[in-house]
Amino acid sequence: MAFSFAPLPLSHPEEIHHDLSPFILIHKNGRIERLVGEETTRPSTDHTTGVRSKDVQISPETGLSARIYLPGAITSQDHKLPVLIYFHGGGFVFGTAFSTMFQPFLNRLALEAQTIIVSVDYRSAPEHLYPTQYDDSWEAIKWVASHATRNGAEPWLNDYADFERLFFGGESAGANIAHQMGMRIGLGKDLDALGDRVKLSGIVLIDPYFWGETLIGDEVNADVKEINILEKLWRVMNPSFSSLDDPLINPEKDPNLSKLGCRKVLISVAEKDLLRDRGWYYHDVLGNSGWNGQVDIIEAKGDGHVFHLYPPFRENALTLFKSMFSFINGDK
């Protein structure tokens, strides 16, 4: 997957139940060691982009929260912006909406795409198993939609959000979530809670975390350890899964794929990412499913998994920003 994190001292091997380094260690006694994504950044006004951010609580019962980003160039409440509900990556097991690793990208994206971003702090496995990650994300979507009447709890959404230009997006595991939330929309699940003033316009999937029982493309010759980590991350999230061909991880096996609840999808993959071929495969499978929409894909040559998160942003990241601006604002 081409991650490159600084090595941390590991625990004694006999103590480890699941060794998913460099991401997470799960001890036999139940203790969790997260090796990345633990450093957090407070919300602020970013001096480089002028983007403001703040944290909001969505559900006091579960502790579900989010970080909201607002471009700084809004001059009046008549200036309505699209809304991107964002689901961060981390293999379902590490990272939060407040992790330092996500902040620079989302600040820059809010500016470049001129959009309000709601980054969801869904709960992580193994403390919280499936379907928590998906249910938390759906709860956050319903909370955002509750502002469509202009009397919700969050003024930035009441005053500036265009709910007919709603988008889902995310990288890696977050892209998986974004796709599954689009499927819930398409299948009509709990749509009464969203109301008729909210329209899902599109979905952005960056390095999406999809997989399957049968290896495809370059996966066949990939490092066995990387493949094992990808598969173990999924099984840690839900130990009850019997197959990697479950539609939640392998959309090709979803008989309802053609019902995806939007009319356009943008996929971004990276040439040196083990998940690259899955992104291309999703592009082809969705396009041939009978789904009545447009699916586009871009590839970052020479880069690896989630390269876009790390400044200084290189040419491929700038291309991603431009592509997302066109995708989100193309129907304006």
Side-chain angles (χ1 to χ4, degrees), residues 181-189 191 200 256 259-262:
M181 296 303 99
M183 290 304 303
R184 288 199 184 194
I185 295 283
L187 293 172
K189 294 185 177 180
L191 287 190
L200 178 62
N256 294 310
K259 297 178 182 178
L260 183 66
C262 62

Side-chain angles (χ1 to χ4, degrees), residues 170-229:
E171 71 269 311
S172 198
N176 176 297
I177 293 173
H179 164 76
Q180 293 300 336
M181 296 303 99
M183 290 304 303
R184 288 199 184 194
I185 295 283
L187 293 172
K189 294 185 177 180
D190 200 17
L191 287 190
D192 289 344
L194 301 187
D196 56 7
R197 302 186 185 189
V198 178
K199 176 185 176 183
L200 178 62
S201 296
I203 299 174
V204 181
L205 307 180
I206 304 173
D207 301 340
Y209 178 19
F210 299 132
W211 203 248
E213 291 287 347
T214 303
L215 299 180
I216 63 173
D218 291 341
E219 297 168 4
V220 175
N221 298 313
D223 183 89
V224 173
K225 182 179 179 181
E226 287 192 73
I227 291 175
N228 286 341
I229 288 175

Side-chain angles (χ1 to χ4, degrees), residues 3 5 36-41 89 94-96 98-106 306 308-311:
F3 280 104
F5 298 116
V36 66
E38 291 295 276
E39 182 183 359
T40 59
T41 298
F94 71 88
T96 78
F98 319 123
S99 294
T100 301
M101 61 193 298
F102 302 117
Q103 187 92 346
F105 170 70
L106 292 176
V306 300
H308 63 285
L309 295 180
Y310 304 105

Side-chain angles (χ1 to χ4, degrees), residues 183 254-263 286 289-292:
M183 290 304 303
D254 190 343
N256 294 310
L257 184 60
S258 64
K259 297 178 182 178
L260 183 66
C262 62
R263 286 292 168 259
L286 179 61
S289 69
W291 171 67
N292 184 26

Side-chain angles (χ1 to χ4, degrees), residues 261-275:
C262 62
R263 286 292 168 259
K264 60 180 183 177
V265 173
L266 174 65
I267 308 163
S268 173
V269 298
E271 180 184 19
K272 295 183 177 181
D273 181 13
L274 180 55
L275 293 173

Side-chain angles (χ1 to χ4, degrees), residues 102-290:
F102 302 117
Q103 187 92 346
F105 170 70
L106 292 176
N107 274 326
R108 183 69 178 267
L109 179 60
L111 172 68
E112 296 289 348
Q114 281 297 290
T115 184
I116 299 170
I117 300 175
V118 180
S119 180
V120 180
D121 190 38
Y122 59 87
R123 289 171 288 175
S124 296
E127 296 93 333
H128 304 281
L129 300 178
Y130 169 86
T132 301
Q133 295 73 25
Y134 297 109
D135 289 348
D136 280 357
S137 298
W138 187 250
E139 193 66 26
I141 291 168
K142 292 193 294 183
W143 179 83
V144 170
S146 72
H147 294 77
T149 57
R150 305 298 173 185
N151 61 357
E154 174 44 52
W156 284 0
L157 293 174
N158 289 334
D159 295 344
Y160 304 119
D162 181 350
F163 292 96
E164 293 189 355
R165 289 190 290 157
L166 177 68
F167 295 82
F168 299 160
E171 71 269 311
S172 198
N176 176 297
I177 293 173
H179 164 76
Q180 293 300 336
M181 296 303 99
M183 290 304 303
R184 288 199 184 194
I185 295 283
L187 293 172
K189 294 185 177 180
D190 200 17
L191 287 190
D192 289 344
L194 301 187
D196 56 7
R197 302 186 185 189
V198 178
K199 176 185 176 183
L200 178 62
S201 296
I203 299 174
V204 181
L205 307 180
I206 304 173
D207 301 340
Y209 178 19
F210 299 132
W211 203 248
E213 291 287 347
T214 303
L215 299 180
I216 63 173
D218 291 341
E219 297 168 4
V220 175
N221 298 313
D223 183 89
V224 173
K225 182 179 179 181
E226 287 192 73
I227 291 175
N228 286 341
I229 288 175
L230 275 173
E231 295 181 355
K232 283 183 179 179
L233 285 170
W234 180 251
R235 296 188 188 280
V236 163
M237 196 264 282
N238 189 343
S240 66
F241 277 111
S242 60
S243 170
L244 290 166
D245 279 338
D246 187 286
L248 290 172
I249 189 69
N250 188 354
E252 181 208 3
K253 303 300 182 181
D254 190 343
N256 294 310
L257 184 60
S258 64
K259 297 178 182 178
L260 183 66
C262 62
R263 286 292 168 259
K264 60 180 183 177
V265 173
L266 174 65
I267 308 163
S268 173
V269 298
E271 180 184 19
K272 295 183 177 181
D273 181 13
L274 180 55
L275 293 173
R276 169 192 176 274
D277 291 328
R278 291 289 163 176
W280 277 103
Y281 194 43
Y282 175 89
H283 169 272
D284 296 342
V285 169
L286 179 61
N288 293 321
S289 69

Side-chain angles (χ1 to χ4, degrees), residues 298-319:
I298 57 176
E299 180 169 329
K301 300 297 183 182
D303 275 317
H305 193 68
V306 300
F307 73 90
H308 63 285
L309 295 180
Y310 304 105
F313 297 115
R314 302 188 302 277
E315 182 178 353
N316 283 329
L318 299 178
T319 297

